[in-house]
Amino acid sequence: MKVIYPGSFDPITKGHMDIIERISDKFDEVVVAVLVNSEKNNLFTLEERKQLIKQEIKDYGLKNVTIESFDGLLIEFAKKIGSKIIVRGLRAISDYEYELQIAHINSKLYEGLETIFLVSKAEYSYISSSVVKEVASYKGDISTFVSENVAEKIMDKLIGG
Amino acid sequence: MKVIYPGSFDPITKGHMDIIERISDKFDEVVVAVLVNSEKNNLFTLEERKQLIKQEIKDYGLKNVTIESFDGLLIEFAKKIGSKIIVRGLRAISDYEYELQIAHINSKLYEGLETIFLVSKAEYSYISSSVVKEVASYKGDISTFVSENVAEKIMDKLIGG
Amino acid sequence: MKVIYPGSFDPITKGHMDIIERISDKFDEVVVAVLVNSEKNNLFTLEERKQLIKQEIKDYGLKNVTIESFDGLLIEFAKKIGSKIIVRGLRAISDYEYELQIAHINSKLYEGLETIFLVSKAEYSYISSSVVKEVASYKGDISTFVSENVAEKIMDKLIGG
Amino acid sequence: MKVIYPGSFDPITKGHMDIIERISDKFDEVVVAVLVNSEKNNLFTLEERKQLIKQEIKDYGLKNVTIESFDGLLIEFAKKIGSKIIVRGLRAISDYEYELQIAHINSKLYEGLETIFLVSKAEYSYISSSVVKEVASYKGDISTFVSENVAEKIMDKLIGG
Amino acid sequence: MKVIYPGSFDPITKGHMDIIERISDKFDEVVVAVLVNSEKNNLFTLEERKQLIKQEIKDYGLKNVTIESFDGLLIEFAKKIGSKIIVRGLRAISDYEYELQIAHINSKLYEGLETIFLVSKAEYSYISSSVVKEVASYKGDISTFVSENVAEKIMDKLIGG
Amino acid sequence: MKVIYPGSFDPITKGHMDIIERISDKFDEVVVAVLVNSEKNNLFTLEERKQLIKQEIKDYGLKNVTIESFDGLLIEFAKKIGSKIIVRGLRAISDYEYELQIAHINSKLYEGLETIFLVSKAEYSYISSSVVKEVASYKGDISTFVSENVAEKIMDKLIGG
């Protein structure tokens, strides 16, 4: 079975990788779907975000994970690649509210589409890409939130930019 | 008794109409109060939003519902039209938090003002005007969220704009 | 319009009275519906609970409030007395979850039945009959939670029993 | 892939069946695991609960669903039948809190065990076996919550007992 | 400054010890106040619970922590030992609701009493004494939730009983 | 012991002052740390915000409270002034979620840093600086939310601007 793990991944955190590793262990094929999200003020370009994920996938040694990007409705992407399962990690109550709404909407828009939720590991439950970027912007230590490679690239961006 | 149902209604959804129909059945008079909200980036102008509501009210056959607009504090509008009851639909936890705060503030600002809450029907509990607009912007099917007329007008806007 | 305010009222608190006073000001007639609740381990008998409420209603000077008792489904009581509006006070999130479920169930069981929620005043949002009884059982001061009369009756019960 | 859908099912509701039908469509094999739960005061015996589920599975025409019972820790049952995926339906916030805790504990007790959550359909989000039994005990109409067969069996129990 | 850390501690978990260690580092004196709680069906007697805590305190090498027991209202105990600060660990939303209510009540009952909350470490946020006892009763592995000593004592109890 | 009470304080409300007064009574020294927050669209400048707090501190007669400002990571400020205790007031569920995340992050970034939470008094639990500013912008009465001095300064700003 092929499942989709969608997100902005700006950049990918250890929390994301925990979910990817766990679903890669359970499902035949995992498609990490990177939202193009052109309007949002991203730190990394789409290509950079995909490149960072690619490196992580390689470092974790995951064989059944591919990376693609999508624009517009997630359900259209799901139709295109022939998968009816979306995977999302749940961190907290506020997540839950929002995720529930999106899951309901998506199932209305695409009959038979299923969103399945995994619970984030406790130690990653307070991490998000935006928190990582905020801490980094003040030169805080982000090594417990992202991999060494991602940490370096964030620092390059913040100094370079 | 006259009650006020305030909102932005950009545009009116089936969830809003469910609430309006239910309070119209219980109270003598319902005033749908459209927030002018000039700063917010609305899809429809105030006049268009009122026109869309007017059409819905007519299609639902509701006789005791009128439509007005207000700017500034809701309690000032309440004083002006001589009503001390605000009606709000509750969809989810996050709604609840916010609505609770507003209800407390309003009761402090206007002695005797009461905010009463109705629970949204389960099938409408995940709909909001902003979700509808987002789905429509990607050409997703919005027919289960809004009436045929509203769906058409949204499409006109999105293509016209 | 006639509305129903149901509960166990074992015993009635200042929080309950705040809601009763507020709805008595807005609706034509308020029926306080005391749940017989024979299985639950009540401190006061049904008659005592009704008597305590009666005294409060009198002390608050409310003219349009009557007291009745019901057993079984609330919606059957609603049908019997010819009212389709239930009023409930909301104190906190956990309340909200439970109340939402009951409201949905009741509207399924009785077409057109409406449950409307009022937000408890901030100073009463942490009071409940069971907390009052627990504090009293340890001889704590309950005068900010219930009226003088109710406080006396609780003490009589706890010493008498 | 084989997944486990555990519960007390006293009795099975339309909400449960919605989840079973959806996972039966996505996974190779679904094992409905009925908790023996000897201490709890059940309305139906284990055998009756299994029989009711069996009838539902047949009426829904699901081919890849089997029914088993378990006592003790769910993870021991999971080990025994060789599955590492638990499926749970999420209805509300309070569910979520509790389910999260159980999922964390189970993943600590059995390395690699995964709990995946599906969101209950909006119309079933307020149904639970205990609410159904309470409504039935007062002779309320439960036909929108459970199947005709289950409704009959509940009535037999309540009259017979 | 002297602070009170109250609870049932039936038995003490690693989550409790995490809080005790952290407050012992910040405040002059910590009083672990064990609730006598005679009605509740405890696994360990009051003396056993105090003994288990004593051993933990010793193993953690904490010098400024003493253990006492109390019955009745916590605020009376607070008055008796001359402390106006209660410390509580927060694990989850449902905790929060309940803790908030108790904190409000206690501050009403004892002018100037303050309840301060610490957030449980992520890895302990799903542990509770009752979950530990339930897992142990099915012979599940509890070594990540409690100390070796506590685990042994639980097993003695469960086999002995 | 020295504790830090951080915030934007744009402007300081009665809710903030309630927390400051309470911690000033319990701890040796309280440092109100005003976030410089240059990007955010503040109503008052940093100097004005500090001046308003200074006046409040004086009016409340608090002797052990000082005011400082900080930019960047709060933990760096904590290191600089030699305090390892942050104090935050909790108002509602949504607060709690966010505050929990920040507390976890800060404890990861600065070993031994502790965030302690106090529960806002019920009557201040719905007040925030932004609500105060919104109400004031429509000329609503804000005298129950902020002190007379702060109310005046807000009006000066809104008329002057």
Side-chain angles (χ1 to χ4, degrees):
Chain A
M1 192 162 23
K2 183 155 67 174
V3 301
I4 302 170
Y5 182 56
S8 289
F9 306 107
D10 183 47
I12 191 154
T13 67
K14 289 186 183 178
H16 295 133
M17 283 311 300
D18 169 51
I19 298 286
I20 293 173
E21 189 175 32
R22 286 157 58 192
I23 54 181
S24 140
D25 181 53
K26 293 287 180 289
F27 296 96
D28 301 326
E29 207 181 327
V30 177
V31 179
V32 179
V34 186
L35 181 60
V36 172
N37 214 356
S38 58
E39 292 169 49
K40 221 174 131 187
N41 205 359
N42 287 320
L43 182 64
F44 293 97
T45 66
L46 176 63
E47 272 322 299
E48 289 168 338
R49 286 181 278 149
K50 288 173 76 172
Q51 193 52 48
L52 287 172
I53 301 169
K54 202 173 163 185
Q55 188 61 47
E56 296 291 298
I57 301 298
K58 202 179 142 198
D59 293 348
Y60 274 70
L62 308 176
K63 301 296 182 201
N64 58 342
V65 181
T66 56
I67 304 161
E68 301 206 29
S69 61
F70 75 102
D71 205 356
L73 289 181
L74 178 57
I75 61 145
E76 297 302 333
F77 176 73
K79 282 177 190 171
K80 202 184 73 183
I81 71 162
S83 166
K84 284 187 132 179
I85 303 192
I86 311 288
V87 178
R88 297 287 293 160
L90 280 178
R91 287 173 310 169
I93 292 299
S94 27
D95 265 21
Y96 175 62
E97 290 291 314
Y98 175 76
E99 295 287 347
L100 201 97
Q101 187 184 28
I102 301 301
H104 272 301
I105 296 284
N106 280 336
S107 74
K108 280 281 172 194
L109 292 176
Y110 186 12
E111 171 91 30
L113 185 86
E114 209 56 82
T115 303
I116 64 180
F117 294 99
L118 271 73
V119 175
S120 292
K121 259 195 192 149
E123 58 262 46
Y124 299 133
S125 65
Y126 52 85
I127 301 178
S128 69
S129 294
S130 53
V131 157
V132 168
K133 285 182 283 189
E134 198 185 335
V135 170
S137 75
Y138 292 114
K139 303 188 191 343
D141 176 15
I142 55 176
S143 63
T144 58
F145 312 139
V146 295
S147 72
E148 213 174 300
N149 179 49
V150 172
E152 264 173 40
K153 294 297 186 301
I154 292 176
M155 287 312 173
D156 288 355
K157 272 281 166 186
L158 291 170
I159 293 162
Chain B
M1 193 163 21
K2 182 156 69 173
V3 301
I4 301 170
Y5 182 56
S8 288
F9 305 107
D10 183 45
I12 192 155
T13 67
K14 289 186 181 176
H16 295 133
M17 283 311 300
D18 168 52
I19 298 288
I20 293 173
E21 189 176 32
R22 286 157 59 192
I23 52 181
S24 138
D25 181 53
K26 294 286 180 288
F27 295 95
D28 301 326
E29 205 182 327
V30 177
V31 179
V32 179
V34 187
L35 180 60
V36 172
N37 213 355
S38 58
E39 293 170 48
K40 221 174 134 188
N41 205 357
N42 288 321
L43 181 65
F44 293 97
T45 66
L46 176 64
E47 271 322 300
E48 288 167 337
R49 286 180 279 150
K50 288 174 76 173
Q51 192 54 47
L52 287 172
I53 300 168
K54 201 172 166 188
Q55 188 62 48
E56 296 291 297
I57 301 299
K58 200 179 144 199
D59 293 349
Y60 274 69
L62 307 176
K63 301 296 184 202
N64 58 343
V65 181
T66 56
I67 305 162
E68 302 205 28
S69 60
F70 74 103
D71 206 357
L73 290 181
L74 178 58
I75 60 146
E76 296 301 333
F77 176 75
K79 283 178 188 168
K80 203 184 72 183
I81 71 163
S83 167
K84 282 187 132 179
I85 302 191
I86 311 288
V87 178
R88 296 288 293 160
L90 280 178
R91 288 173 309 169
I93 292 299
S94 27
D95 265 21
Y96 175 62
E97 289 290 313
Y98 175 75
E99 295 287 348
L100 201 98
Q101 187 183 27
I102 301 301
H104 272 301
I105 297 285
N106 280 335
S107 74
K108 280 282 172 191
L109 293 176
Y110 185 11
E111 172 90 30
L113 184 86
E114 209 54 82
T115 304
I116 64 179
F117 295 98
L118 272 73
V119 176
S120 292
K121 260 195 190 151
E123 59 262 46
Y124 300 132
S125 65
Y126 52 86
I127 301 178
S128 70
S129 295
S130 53
V131 157
V132 168
K133 285 181 283 188
E134 198 184 335
V135 170
S137 75
Y138 292 113
K139 303 188 191 344
D141 176 15
I142 55 176
S143 63
T144 58
F145 312 139
V146 295
S147 72
E148 213 174 301
N149 180 48
V150 171
E152 264 173 40
K153 294 297 187 299
I154 292 176
M155 286 313 171
D156 288 355
K157 272 281 167 187
L158 291 172
I159 293 164
Chain C
M1 194 161 23
K2 182 156 66 174
V3 300
I4 302 170
Y5 182 55
S8 289
F9 305 108
D10 183 47
I12 191 155
T13 67
K14 289 187 182 175
H16 296 132
M17 284 310 301
D18 168 51
I19 299 287
I20 292 173
E21 189 175 33
R22 286 156 59 192
I23 53 182
S24 139
D25 181 53
K26 292 288 179 289
F27 296 95
D28 300 326
E29 205 182 328
V30 177
V31 179
V32 179
V34 186
L35 181 60
V36 173
N37 214 355
S38 57
E39 294 170 47
K40 222 175 134 188
N41 204 358
N42 287 322
L43 182 64
F44 293 98
T45 66
L46 176 63
E47 271 322 300
E48 289 168 338
R49 286 181 277 149
K50 289 173 75 172
Q51 193 52 47
L52 287 172
I53 300 169
K54 202 173 163 187
Q55 187 62 47
E56 297 291 298
I57 301 299
K58 202 180 142 197
D59 293 349
Y60 275 70
L62 308 177
K63 302 295 183 203
N64 57 342
V65 181
T66 56
I67 305 163
E68 302 207 28
S69 60
F70 75 103
D71 205 356
L73 289 181
L74 178 58
I75 60 147
E76 297 302 332
F77 176 75
K79 282 177 189 170
K80 203 184 73 184
I81 69 162
S83 166
K84 284 187 131 182
I85 303 192
I86 311 287
V87 177
R88 296 288 291 159
L90 280 177
R91 287 173 309 170
I93 291 299
S94 26
D95 265 21
Y96 175 61
E97 290 289 314
Y98 175 76
E99 295 287 346
L100 201 96
Q101 187 184 28
I102 300 302
H104 272 301
I105 296 284
N106 280 336
S107 73
K108 279 282 172 191
L109 293 176
Y110 186 12
E111 172 89 32
L113 184 86
E114 210 53 84
T115 304
I116 63 179
F117 294 99
L118 272 73
V119 176
S120 291
K121 258 193 192 153
E123 58 262 47
Y124 299 132
S125 66
Y126 52 85
I127 301 178
S128 69
S129 294
S130 53
V131 156
V132 169
K133 285 181 284 187
E134 198 185 335
V135 170
S137 75
Y138 293 113
K139 306 189 189 341
D141 176 15
I142 55 176
S143 63
T144 58
F145 312 140
V146 296
S147 73
E148 212 174 303
N149 179 47
V150 172
E152 264 173 40
K153 294 297 186 298
I154 292 177
M155 285 314 171
D156 288 354
K157 273 280 166 188
L158 290 171
I159 292 164
Chain D
M1 193 162 23
K2 183 155 68 174
V3 301
I4 301 170
Y5 181 55
S8 289
F9 305 109
D10 182 47
I12 191 154
T13 67
K14 288 186 182 176
H16 295 133
M17 284 311 300
D18 169 51
I19 298 287
I20 292 173
E21 188 175 33
R22 285 156 60 191
I23 54 182
S24 139
D25 181 53
K26 292 288 180 289
F27 295 96
D28 300 325
E29 206 181 327
V30 176
V31 179
V32 179
V34 186
L35 180 60
V36 173
N37 213 354
S38 58
E39 293 170 49
K40 220 174 132 188
N41 204 359
N42 287 322
L43 182 65
F44 294 97
T45 67
L46 177 63
E47 272 323 298
E48 288 168 336
R49 286 180 277 148
K50 288 174 76 172
Q51 194 53 47
L52 288 172
I53 300 168
K54 202 172 163 187
Q55 188 62 47
E56 298 291 299
I57 302 299
K58 202 179 143 198
D59 293 349
Y60 274 70
L62 308 177
K63 300 298 184 201
N64 58 343
V65 181
T66 56
I67 305 161
E68 301 206 29
S69 61
F70 75 102
D71 206 357
L73 289 181
L74 178 57
I75 60 145
E76 297 301 332
F77 176 75
K79 282 178 188 169
K80 203 183 73 184
I81 70 162
S83 167
K84 283 187 131 179
I85 303 193
I86 311 288
V87 177
R88 297 288 294 160
L90 280 178
R91 288 174 308 171
I93 291 300
S94 26
D95 265 22
Y96 174 62
E97 289 290 313
Y98 175 76
E99 295 287 347
L100 201 97
Q101 187 184 28
I102 300 302
H104 272 301
I105 296 283
N106 280 336
S107 74
K108 279 282 172 192
L109 293 176
Y110 186 11
E111 172 90 31
L113 185 85
E114 209 54 82
T115 304
I116 63 179
F117 294 99
L118 271 74
V119 176
S120 291
K121 258 193 192 153
E123 59 262 48
Y124 299 132
S125 66
Y126 52 86
I127 300 179
S128 69
S129 294
S130 52
V131 157
V132 168
K133 285 182 284 188
E134 198 185 337
V135 170
S137 75
Y138 292 114
K139 305 188 189 347
D141 176 15
I142 55 176
S143 63
T144 58
F145 311 140
V146 295
S147 72
E148 213 174 301
N149 180 47
V150 171
E152 265 173 40
K153 294 297 187 298
I154 292 176
M155 285 315 172
D156 288 355
K157 272 280 165 188
L158 291 171
I159 293 164
Chain E
M1 193 163 19
K2 183 157 65 173
V3 301
I4 301 170
Y5 182 55
S8 289
F9 305 108
D10 182 47
I12 190 154
T13 67
K14 289 187 181 175
H16 296 133
M17 283 311 301
D18 169 51
I19 299 287
I20 293 173
E21 189 176 32
R22 286 156 59 191
I23 54 181
S24 138
D25 180 54
K26 293 286 180 290
F27 296 95
D28 302 325
E29 205 183 328
V30 177
V31 179
V32 179
V34 186
L35 181 61
V36 173
N37 214 354
S38 57
E39 294 170 47
K40 220 175 136 189
N41 204 358
N42 287 322
L43 182 64
F44 294 97
T45 66
L46 176 64
E47 272 321 300
E48 288 168 338
R49 286 180 278 149
K50 288 173 75 173
Q51 193 52 48
L52 287 172
I53 299 168
K54 202 173 164 186
Q55 188 61 49
E56 296 292 298
I57 302 299
K58 201 180 144 198
D59 294 348
Y60 276 70
L62 308 176
K63 301 297 182 202
N64 58 343
V65 181
T66 55
I67 306 162
E68 301 206 28
S69 60
F70 75 103
D71 205 357
L73 288 181
L74 178 57
I75 60 145
E76 296 302 332
F77 176 75
K79 282 178 188 169
K80 202 184 73 183
I81 71 162
S83 167
K84 283 187 132 180
I85 303 193
I86 311 287
V87 178
R88 297 287 293 159
L90 279 178
R91 287 174 309 170
I93 292 299
S94 26
D95 266 20
Y96 175 61
E97 291 288 316
Y98 175 76
E99 295 287 347
L100 200 97
Q101 187 183 29
I102 300 302
H104 272 301
I105 296 283
N106 280 336
S107 74
K108 280 282 172 191
L109 293 176
Y110 186 13
E111 172 89 31
L113 184 86
E114 209 54 83
T115 303
I116 63 179
F117 294 99
L118 271 73
V119 176
S120 291
K121 258 194 192 152
E123 58 263 47
Y124 300 133
S125 65
Y126 52 85
I127 300 179
S128 71
S129 294
S130 53
V131 157
V132 168
K133 285 181 283 187
E134 198 185 335
V135 170
S137 75
Y138 293 114
K139 304 187 190 343
D141 176 15
I142 55 175
S143 62
T144 58
F145 310 139
V146 296
S147 72
E148 213 175 301
N149 179 48
V150 172
E152 264 173 40
K153 294 299 187 295
I154 292 176
M155 286 313 172
D156 288 354
K157 272 280 166 188
L158 291 171
I159 292 164
Chain F
M1 195 164 19
K2 182 156 67 174
V3 301
I4 302 170
Y5 182 55
S8 288
F9 305 108
D10 182 47
I12 192 154
T13 67
K14 289 186 182 176
H16 294 135
M17 283 311 300
D18 169 51
I19 298 287
I20 293 173
E21 189 175 32
R22 286 156 59 191
I23 53 182
S24 139
D25 180 54
K26 294 286 180 287
F27 296 96
D28 301 325
E29 205 181 328
V30 176
V31 180
V32 179
V34 186
L35 181 60
V36 173
N37 213 356
S38 58
E39 293 170 49
K40 222 175 132 187
N41 205 358
N42 287 321
L43 182 65
F44 293 97
T45 67
L46 176 63
E47 272 322 299
E48 289 167 336
R49 286 180 278 149
K50 288 173 76 172
Q51 193 52 48
L52 287 172
I53 300 168
K54 202 174 164 186
Q55 188 62 48
E56 297 291 298
I57 302 299
K58 200 180 144 199
D59 293 348
Y60 274 70
L62 308 176
K63 301 295 182 203
N64 58 343
V65 181
T66 56
I67 306 162
E68 302 207 28
S69 60
F70 75 103
D71 205 356
L73 289 181
L74 178 57
I75 60 147
E76 297 302 333
F77 176 75
K79 283 177 189 169
K80 203 184 74 185
I81 71 162
S83 167
K84 283 187 132 181
I85 303 191
I86 311 288
V87 177
R88 296 288 291 161
L90 279 178
R91 287 173 309 170
I93 291 298
S94 27
D95 264 22
Y96 175 61
E97 289 290 313
Y98 175 76
E99 295 287 347
L100 200 97
Q101 187 183 29
I102 301 303
H104 272 301
I105 296 285
N106 280 335
S107 74
K108 281 280 172 193
L109 293 176
Y110 186 13
E111 173 89 31
L113 184 86
E114 209 55 82
T115 305
I116 63 179
F117 294 99
L118 271 73
V119 176
S120 292
K121 258 194 192 152
E123 58 262 47
Y124 299 132
S125 66
Y126 51 87
I127 301 178
S128 70
S129 294
S130 53
V131 157
V132 168
K133 285 181 283 187
E134 198 184 336
V135 170
S137 74
Y138 292 114
K139 305 187 190 345
D141 176 16
I142 55 175
S143 63
T144 58
F145 312 139
V146 296
S147 72
E148 212 173 303
N149 179 48
V150 172
E152 264 174 40
K153 294 298 186 298
I154 291 176
M155 287 313 173
D156 288 354
K157 273 280 166 187
L158 291 171
I159 293 163

